Short mmCIF file of all heavy atoms in Angstrom, two decimals:
data_model
loop_
_atom_site.label_atom_id
_atom_site.label_comp_id
_atom_site.label_asym_id
_atom_site.label_seq_id
_atom_site.Cartn_x
_atom_site.Cartn_y
_atom_site.Cartn_z
N ASN A 374 11.31 -14.32 -8.84
CA ASN A 374 11.62 -14.90 -10.15
C ASN A 374 13.14 -14.84 -10.31
O ASN A 374 13.70 -13.82 -10.68
CB ASN A 374 10.93 -14.11 -11.26
CG ASN A 374 11.06 -14.78 -12.62
OD1 ASN A 374 12.12 -15.29 -12.96
ND2 ASN A 374 9.99 -14.77 -13.40
N TYR A 375 13.78 -15.97 -10.01
CA TYR A 375 15.23 -16.00 -10.01
C TYR A 375 15.80 -15.95 -11.43
O TYR A 375 16.93 -15.49 -11.63
CB TYR A 375 15.72 -17.24 -9.26
CG TYR A 375 15.33 -17.22 -7.80
CD1 TYR A 375 14.19 -17.88 -7.34
CD2 TYR A 375 16.09 -16.50 -6.88
CE1 TYR A 375 13.83 -17.83 -6.00
CE2 TYR A 375 15.73 -16.45 -5.54
CZ TYR A 375 14.60 -17.11 -5.11
OH TYR A 375 14.24 -17.05 -3.79
N THR A 376 15.04 -16.41 -12.39
CA THR A 376 15.49 -16.34 -13.79
C THR A 376 15.61 -14.90 -14.23
O THR A 376 16.60 -14.49 -14.87
CB THR A 376 14.51 -17.09 -14.71
OG1 THR A 376 14.42 -18.45 -14.28
CG2 THR A 376 14.99 -17.02 -16.16
N LYS A 377 14.61 -14.08 -13.89
CA LYS A 377 14.62 -12.67 -14.29
C LYS A 377 15.37 -11.79 -13.28
O LYS A 377 15.58 -10.60 -13.53
CB LYS A 377 13.18 -12.16 -14.45
CG LYS A 377 12.39 -12.85 -15.56
CD LYS A 377 10.99 -12.25 -15.67
CE LYS A 377 10.15 -12.96 -16.70
NZ LYS A 377 10.67 -12.79 -18.07
N GLN A 378 15.71 -12.38 -12.12
CA GLN A 378 16.37 -11.64 -11.05
C GLN A 378 15.52 -10.46 -10.56
O GLN A 378 16.02 -9.35 -10.31
CB GLN A 378 17.75 -11.16 -11.50
CG GLN A 378 18.80 -12.26 -11.55
CD GLN A 378 19.08 -12.86 -10.16
OE1 GLN A 378 19.66 -12.20 -9.29
NE2 GLN A 378 18.67 -14.11 -9.96
N VAL A 379 14.22 -10.69 -10.41
CA VAL A 379 13.31 -9.75 -9.75
C VAL A 379 12.58 -10.52 -8.66
O VAL A 379 12.33 -11.72 -8.80
CB VAL A 379 12.31 -9.10 -10.72
CG1 VAL A 379 13.02 -8.10 -11.61
CG2 VAL A 379 11.58 -10.14 -11.55
N PHE A 380 12.22 -9.81 -7.59
CA PHE A 380 11.78 -10.51 -6.39
C PHE A 380 10.51 -9.87 -5.80
O PHE A 380 10.20 -8.71 -6.06
CB PHE A 380 12.91 -10.54 -5.37
CG PHE A 380 14.16 -11.16 -5.92
CD1 PHE A 380 15.19 -10.36 -6.42
CD2 PHE A 380 14.29 -12.53 -6.00
CE1 PHE A 380 16.33 -10.92 -6.95
CE2 PHE A 380 15.43 -13.11 -6.54
CZ PHE A 380 16.46 -12.30 -7.02
N ASN A 381 9.82 -10.67 -5.03
CA ASN A 381 8.58 -10.26 -4.40
C ASN A 381 8.76 -8.91 -3.69
O ASN A 381 9.60 -8.78 -2.80
CB ASN A 381 8.15 -11.33 -3.40
CG ASN A 381 6.78 -11.08 -2.82
OD1 ASN A 381 6.03 -10.21 -3.28
ND2 ASN A 381 6.44 -11.84 -1.81
N GLY A 382 7.97 -7.91 -4.08
CA GLY A 382 8.05 -6.59 -3.46
C GLY A 382 8.81 -5.56 -4.27
O GLY A 382 8.77 -4.37 -3.94
N ASP A 383 9.51 -5.98 -5.33
CA ASP A 383 10.22 -5.01 -6.18
C ASP A 383 9.21 -4.14 -6.94
O ASP A 383 8.24 -4.65 -7.52
CB ASP A 383 11.10 -5.73 -7.20
CG ASP A 383 12.35 -6.34 -6.57
OD1 ASP A 383 12.60 -6.06 -5.38
OD2 ASP A 383 13.06 -7.09 -7.27
N ILE A 384 9.43 -2.84 -6.94
CA ILE A 384 8.54 -1.89 -7.60
C ILE A 384 9.22 -1.30 -8.82
O ILE A 384 10.41 -0.98 -8.81
CB ILE A 384 8.12 -0.77 -6.63
CG1 ILE A 384 7.23 -1.33 -5.52
CG2 ILE A 384 7.39 0.35 -7.36
CD1 ILE A 384 6.82 -0.31 -4.48
N GLY A 385 8.46 -1.19 -9.91
CA GLY A 385 8.99 -0.61 -11.13
C GLY A 385 7.91 0.09 -11.93
O GLY A 385 6.77 0.25 -11.47
N PHE A 386 8.28 0.52 -13.14
CA PHE A 386 7.36 1.25 -14.00
C PHE A 386 7.38 0.64 -15.40
O PHE A 386 8.44 0.27 -15.91
CB PHE A 386 7.75 2.72 -14.07
CG PHE A 386 7.63 3.42 -12.74
CD1 PHE A 386 8.69 3.43 -11.85
CD2 PHE A 386 6.44 4.03 -12.39
CE1 PHE A 386 8.57 4.06 -10.62
CE2 PHE A 386 6.31 4.67 -11.16
CZ PHE A 386 7.38 4.67 -10.27
N ILE A 387 6.21 0.52 -16.00
CA ILE A 387 6.10 -0.05 -17.34
C ILE A 387 6.64 0.96 -18.35
O ILE A 387 6.08 2.06 -18.50
CB ILE A 387 4.64 -0.42 -17.67
CG1 ILE A 387 4.13 -1.48 -16.69
CG2 ILE A 387 4.54 -0.93 -19.10
CD1 ILE A 387 2.68 -1.86 -16.88
N ARG A 388 7.71 0.59 -19.05
CA ARG A 388 8.36 1.50 -19.99
C ARG A 388 8.07 1.15 -21.45
O ARG A 388 8.20 2.00 -22.32
CB ARG A 388 9.88 1.49 -19.75
CG ARG A 388 10.30 2.04 -18.40
CD ARG A 388 9.68 3.38 -18.13
NE ARG A 388 10.17 4.01 -16.91
CZ ARG A 388 9.52 4.95 -16.26
NH1 ARG A 388 8.32 5.35 -16.70
NH2 ARG A 388 10.03 5.48 -15.16
N GLU A 389 7.70 -0.09 -21.71
CA GLU A 389 7.29 -0.50 -23.06
C GLU A 389 6.12 -1.45 -22.92
O GLU A 389 6.06 -2.24 -21.97
CB GLU A 389 8.44 -1.20 -23.80
CG GLU A 389 9.64 -0.32 -24.06
CD GLU A 389 10.74 -1.07 -24.79
OE1 GLU A 389 10.45 -2.13 -25.41
OE2 GLU A 389 11.90 -0.62 -24.73
N LEU A 390 5.19 -1.37 -23.85
CA LEU A 390 4.02 -2.25 -23.79
C LEU A 390 3.47 -2.49 -25.18
O LEU A 390 3.21 -1.54 -25.93
CB LEU A 390 2.95 -1.62 -22.88
CG LEU A 390 1.76 -2.52 -22.48
CD1 LEU A 390 1.21 -2.10 -21.13
CD2 LEU A 390 0.65 -2.44 -23.52
N GLU A 391 3.34 -3.77 -25.52
CA GLU A 391 2.76 -4.16 -26.80
C GLU A 391 1.71 -5.23 -26.53
O GLU A 391 1.44 -5.60 -25.39
CB GLU A 391 3.85 -4.66 -27.75
CG GLU A 391 4.87 -3.58 -28.09
CD GLU A 391 5.91 -4.05 -29.10
OE1 GLU A 391 5.73 -5.15 -29.65
OE2 GLU A 391 6.90 -3.32 -29.31
N ALA A 392 1.12 -5.76 -27.59
CA ALA A 392 -0.01 -6.67 -27.45
C ALA A 392 0.35 -7.96 -26.73
O ALA A 392 -0.49 -8.56 -26.06
CB ALA A 392 -0.60 -6.98 -28.83
N ASP A 393 1.59 -8.41 -26.85
CA ASP A 393 1.95 -9.72 -26.30
C ASP A 393 3.04 -9.67 -25.24
O ASP A 393 3.44 -10.69 -24.73
CB ASP A 393 2.38 -10.65 -27.43
CG ASP A 393 3.56 -10.10 -28.22
OD1 ASP A 393 3.90 -8.92 -28.02
OD2 ASP A 393 4.13 -10.87 -29.02
N HIS A 394 3.53 -8.48 -24.91
CA HIS A 394 4.53 -8.40 -23.85
C HIS A 394 4.66 -6.97 -23.34
O HIS A 394 4.17 -6.02 -23.97
CB HIS A 394 5.90 -8.91 -24.34
CG HIS A 394 6.62 -7.95 -25.23
ND1 HIS A 394 6.36 -7.84 -26.57
CD2 HIS A 394 7.59 -7.03 -24.95
CE1 HIS A 394 7.14 -6.92 -27.09
NE2 HIS A 394 7.89 -6.41 -26.13
N LEU A 395 5.34 -6.83 -22.20
CA LEU A 395 5.63 -5.51 -21.66
C LEU A 395 7.01 -5.53 -21.01
O LEU A 395 7.55 -6.59 -20.70
CB LEU A 395 4.55 -5.05 -20.68
CG LEU A 395 4.21 -5.91 -19.46
CD1 LEU A 395 5.22 -5.73 -18.32
CD2 LEU A 395 2.82 -5.58 -18.95
#
Side-chain angles (χ1 to χ4, degrees):
N374 188 319
Y375 296 96
T376 302
K377 296 182 183 294
Q378 285 296 291
V379 288
F380 304 98
N381 187 11
D383 287 351
I384 292 177
F386 295 88
I387 299 177
R388 295 309 187 201
E389 297 180 18
L390 191 151
E391 297 183 9
D393 59 349
H394 75 278
L395 57 80

